[in-house]
Amino acid sequence: VIVGVYDDETGSYCTKSIEIIPPFVIDIEVIGENEVLIDKTITLEANVIPSIITSEIIWESSNEDIILVDEGKVYANGIGVADVILKCEEFEKRFTITVLPMPTTIEVEGNPSILVNQVANLKFNIEDEVVLTSSNPEIVQVVGNTILGVKEGKAVINAHKKDNPEMKGTFEVTV
């Protein structure tokens, strides 16, 4: 592009050649989890920076024995570590994913000390349905994935996977 400028004071006219450079990718922001259990799928999102660039992002796996990648969906194929490779124009970004084995026991998380008439939610290290029972329902009652303090004392909450009773865990609660 040639730009011309006229100077009123001197009466002179000057031209300058200017090269306009289109924007280029400076980064790809990746949003999502970087750990996944074997045989599970997670979804990643990616944003090109600057956002005015509309070129397509190409998604690839550094090791298809560990992860398969399809347009942001990452399927955990094998245990280990692999990179999701994102390419846009000449830019490349790597996002490391760790594929973990399925747990063999249930870890129960929650408040180990509750009050009488207090309800507390419990969380687990697995996504599958968990069945809970109380060792002493007169102290702590179980309702779904929550517990209710009934009277002072201690109870053990027993957890097992609904479709695999051999996968278990425990959690002690004091009321």
Side-chain angles (χ1 to χ4, degrees):
V1 172
I2 298 177
V3 176
V5 177
Y6 180 76
D7 187 339
D8 287 331
E9 288 181 22
T10 62
S12 63
Y13 184 76
C14 117
T15 61
K16 182 78 173 171
S17 176
I18 300 172
E19 180 183 358
I20 297 176
I21 300 172
F24 57 91
V25 177
I26 59 171
D27 197 8
I28 299 174
E29 174 189 34
V30 183
I31 303 164
E33 298 291 322
N34 63 355
E35 291 184 342
V36 61
L37 293 174
I38 186 80
D39 295 328
K40 299 290 182 180
T41 300
I42 58 173
T43 301
L44 301 176
E45 294 180 29
N47 299 313
V48 175
I49 300 171
S51 60
I52 61 171
I53 295 176
T54 58
S55 300
E56 179 183 2
I57 296 174
I58 307 298
W59 299 76
E60 298 176 355
S61 171
S62 67
N63 185 340
E64 291 189 349
D65 290 335
I66 296 176
I67 59 171
L68 297 174
V69 181
D70 182 24
E71 298 294 319
K73 292 209 181 289
V74 179
Y75 176 74
N77 209 28
I79 296 168
V81 177
D83 288 340
V84 174
I85 304 167
L86 300 98
K87 297 177 181 178
C88 185
E89 297 178 357
E90 302 298 314
F91 190 84
E92 180 177 300
K93 174 90 171 216
R94 289 177 171 257
F95 186 79
T96 302
I97 300 286
T98 303
V99 178
L100 304 169
M102 279 296 204
T104 56
T105 61
I106 297 175
E107 294 175 18
V108 184
E109 295 179 16
N111 188 347
S113 179
I114 61 174
L115 302 172
V116 173
N117 294 324
Q118 181 180 0
V119 175
N121 291 320
L122 299 179
K123 295 181 182 179
F124 315 101
N125 64 326
I126 63 172
E127 296 174 11
D128 301 312
E129 189 173 348
V130 174
V131 176
L132 299 176
T133 57
S134 174
S135 66
N136 193 342
E138 293 177 7
I139 303 292
V140 177
Q141 291 182 353
V142 173
V143 181
N145 289 344
T146 62
I147 55 175
L148 169 66
V150 178
K151 72 177 190 178
E152 290 185 11
K154 288 187 178 193
V156 174
I157 304 302
N158 297 296
H160 73 267
K161 188 174 169 187
K162 184 175 182 179
D163 62 358
N164 180 5
E166 298 303 311
M167 180 184 264
K168 344 176 179 187
T170 60
F171 184 73
E172 188 172 311
V173 180
T174 301
V175 180

